[in-house]
Amino acid sequence: MYHTMNLSRIDLRITAAGMAIAVAAGLLCVDLGERPATLSLAHAALAVPVARGATVSAAAIELAGRFGLAGTPGAPVRTADQVTGEFLDTVDFRRADGRLAAEVVRAVDGRLVRLVDLTDPPRGPETPVDAARAPTAARRLLGASGLAAPASPPVTTWDAGMDAWCVRWVRTIDGVPAPTDGLVTWVRPSGRLKALSDIRSPLAAAPAEPVTAGAATLAVRAYLRRLHLDRMADLVVDAPRLAWVLPNAFVDPAAGSGPSTLRLAWTITLGYVPPGWSDRHAVEVDVDAATGALIGGTETA
Amino acid sequence: MSDPARPARSSPPVARVAATIVALVVGLSGTGHTAVLAATYPASDYSNVTAFDTCDGTPDTISHSLEALAQSGLGYLGYTSGEYATTGFTRARVLSRASTDQAIYVHSHGDQYFDPYPKQVQGFREDGGDCSQAIIYATDLAAVRPATVHLVLMSTCHLAEAARTSGQPTMAAAYGIDRVKYTDPHAPDDGARFFLGYEGLAWTADMLHFEQRFWGYVTTGHLLGDAYTLARASAAMSGTTVPDWFGTYDYSGAPGSSLPCTRCV
């Protein structure tokens, strides 16, 4: 018996057959601690076993009560994260008019991954929260959710799109940052919670003997020569810095887009002026600390 | 608002269920429902592949991925979208199609370019298949765009920012979208209009993570404002890439009354 079995679709080019295969693959992985081979564009909802669903629902309702969230909870739905492939259980809360009010997301081990309040409550008489007060408010909200904020100071910025203060603790593993992961709390100016997110991508094992920073620089220099980037005007190659990164197809377009796992890497930032451009272009290249291979990167738009 | 593209909160349940079934069945067939919903709502999906590949010297797949996500999303919403990259993504084509497009997606370099110094005007670069890449300015687009632009997505740097030069239009304003967030469902809003862009420098890997989630929520029937908020909270992004939005939070994104919105009213 299952709580729900509904299919949603995001990519029109994923055929019904493809979806069926993806869902079947996902079902085989449910509760086995495995991840599907590739679901990068799919958002297939899977069944949540009844016993697990009851637990997920109860936890979501209890948490919603703690934060005074509005809405009626729906049945939990299990999906695979589009990037990491990790299975997540989501409970949506709906208002009386049917609109979404809140979303509570937990990992299959019960860890709180995300809590989002989609309502727009009127501002009360509370003392407005400013940038200086936002971290304290974030710690209070995280405490109420059961998540522990790190002792280190967060980075606080105003997030206009969320209409809230974004208080961010970048995840670190053995002192090395994972810039795309972290514990993020969006605090409304009233002090109420807008959203919190605890992104903890799966980790590959750290290498016993990482390649050296010098070897990483040599690998990137070879890449620059191969692509003739070493001829670019005003080329600057920054010093390597260790980071946990999600591999991608930036360096190797043939690389797959399957589920990603954080890998320890040396990240090297490049700056140069392409021919005919007046502005500098920034690029980051990631060198796997275990193998010395280039495993991804990014650039500014 | 009387605009038919707003979420039809008072439409008959049967009509909503029928629209949902059509969207689901056609979507699952893998062909897209634009063939069913007649080509009434033109849109354009532009991606500057050359800039991020040949011109800067690094190979690139992200431009293609972003373009494909947008194409799927626009199709899901009911637009008939042309897909343009390399020599197909030119300044002339953008301006020509801008007079009829009801939705536009652009992945390119964007900035507040000097036109001429010291005046700065928001714009983005064409692809054109080479690296000369003329700029399409907000002022150019404001002169030709129609009154009925519903959805504008600028997957570039800088184009969600306020104008640096007083009196110059922002890219949102160029398409007739107030640089205002209308979030109260019971108050007057901006109608069936929504703008998505980025502030400051945006990094392509972050943009892919965010837009993958944004379209994922849109195409599972979420309102655009909810899709933005949920994508922002769920995407693994560095803190330096900051998306922003303007327009009507509760807009579904659909141009017509046949909403694929299965999670809105």
Side-chain angles (χ1 to χ4, degrees), chain A residues 107-119:
Chain A
V108 292
D109 63 2
R111 179 177 68 86
L112 180 62
V113 172
R114 193 160 58 250
L115 169 59
V116 184
D117 180 2
L118 293 159
T119 64

Side-chain angles (χ1 to χ4, degrees), chain B residues 156-216:
Chain B
T156 70
C157 294
H158 295 300
L159 295 186
E161 298 171 358
R164 288 180 200 152
T165 300
S166 177
Q168 294 304 312
T170 63
M171 193 56 78
Y175 284 99
I177 299 173
D178 294 343
R179 209 170 160 280
V180 172
K181 295 174 174 67
Y182 294 91
T183 57
D184 184 347
H186 306 297
D189 57 30
D190 204 25
R193 282 188 275 273
F194 194 90
F195 177 95
L196 179 68
Y198 294 85
E199 297 178 357
L201 291 178
W203 292 81
T204 55
D206 288 339
M207 297 161 91
L208 180 59
H209 284 170
F210 173 74
E211 292 179 31
Q212 194 173 17
R213 279 169 166 74
F214 175 76
W215 288 117

Side-chain angles (χ1 to χ4, degrees), chain A residues 152-248:
Chain A
S152 59
V155 175
T156 301
T157 54
W158 174 251
D159 189 331
M162 297 288 267
D163 192 26
W165 293 103
C166 177
V167 182
R168 180 185 185 90
W169 283 271
V170 172
R171 182 184 181 192
T172 59
I173 298 108
D174 296 331
V176 176
T180 56
D181 277 17
L183 186 58
V184 187
T185 307
W186 284 270
V187 183
R188 299 178 198 266
S190 66
R192 288 188 53 147
L193 179 75
K194 170 78 174 184
L196 63 82
S197 173
D198 187 14
I199 298 179
R200 294 179 169 272
S201 305
L203 292 177
E209 289 188 35
V211 300
T212 64
T217 300
L218 286 176
V220 170
R221 291 278 184 192
Y223 170 75
L224 295 176
R225 280 195 301 277
R226 194 164 67 248
L227 298 180
H228 307 299
L229 294 175
D230 54 342
R231 301 174 192 171
M232 293 286 187
D234 299 322
L235 173 66
V236 174
V237 181
D238 287 352
R241 60 188 191 279
L242 273 176
W244 289 88
V245 303
L246 291 169
N248 60 29

Side-chain angles (χ1 to χ4, degrees), chain A residues 6-16 19 40-41 43 81-84 92 94-95 97-100 103 114 116-118 120 159-162 166 168 179-181 186 194-197 199 201 223 227 229 232 246 248-253 269 272 274-275 277-279 281-284 297-301, chain B residues 9 23-24 27-28 30-32 51-52 55-62 68-69 72 75-76 107-111 113 131 155-157 181 183 185-186 199 201-207 209 212-213 215-217 219-220 222-223 226 228-230 232-239 242-245 249-250 263 265:
Chain A
N6 93 52
L7 282 178
S8 301
R9 170 195 56 79
I10 80 154
D11 188 346
L12 297 176
R13 281 169 298 184
I14 295 176
T15 63
M19 290 289 284
S40 61
L41 294 181
H43 201 145
D81 182 89
Q82 290 168 295
V83 174
T84 66
D92 284 345
R94 297 197 169 277
R95 288 172 263 206
D97 64 6
R99 286 181 301 136
L100 203 55
E103 181 190 79
R114 193 160 58 250
V116 184
D117 180 2
L118 293 159
D120 192 18
D159 189 331
M162 297 288 267
C166 177
R168 180 185 185 90
T180 56
D181 277 17
W186 284 270
K194 170 78 174 184
L196 63 82
S197 173
I199 298 179
S201 305
Y223 170 75
L227 298 180
L229 294 175
M232 293 286 187
L246 291 169
N248 60 29
F250 182 80
V251 167
D252 177 11
T269 302
Y272 54 88
W277 292 24
S278 55
D279 300 325
H281 185 54
V283 171
E284 285 185 358
T298 185
E299 60 189 321
T300 54
Chain B
R9 292 187 187 123
L24 189 61
L28 281 175
T31 60
F52 297 102
C55 299
D56 66 24
T58 58
D60 180 54
T61 59
I62 290 176
L69 283 166
S72 293
Y76 174 88
H107 174 62
S108 185
H109 288 297
D111 206 339
Y113 296 100
C131 299
S155 179
T156 70
C157 294
K181 295 174 174 67
T183 57
H186 306 297
E199 297 178 357
L201 291 178
W203 292 81
T204 55
D206 288 339
M207 297 161 91
H209 284 170
Q212 194 173 17
R213 279 169 166 74
W215 288 117
Y217 282 110
T219 56
T220 47
H222 291 75
L223 298 169
D226 285 348
Y228 171 90
T229 302
L230 294 169
R232 185 79 177 98
S234 63
M237 300 164 67
S238 67
V242 182
D244 198 359
W245 68 276
Y249 185 95
D250 282 339
R263 298 199 185 192
V265 193

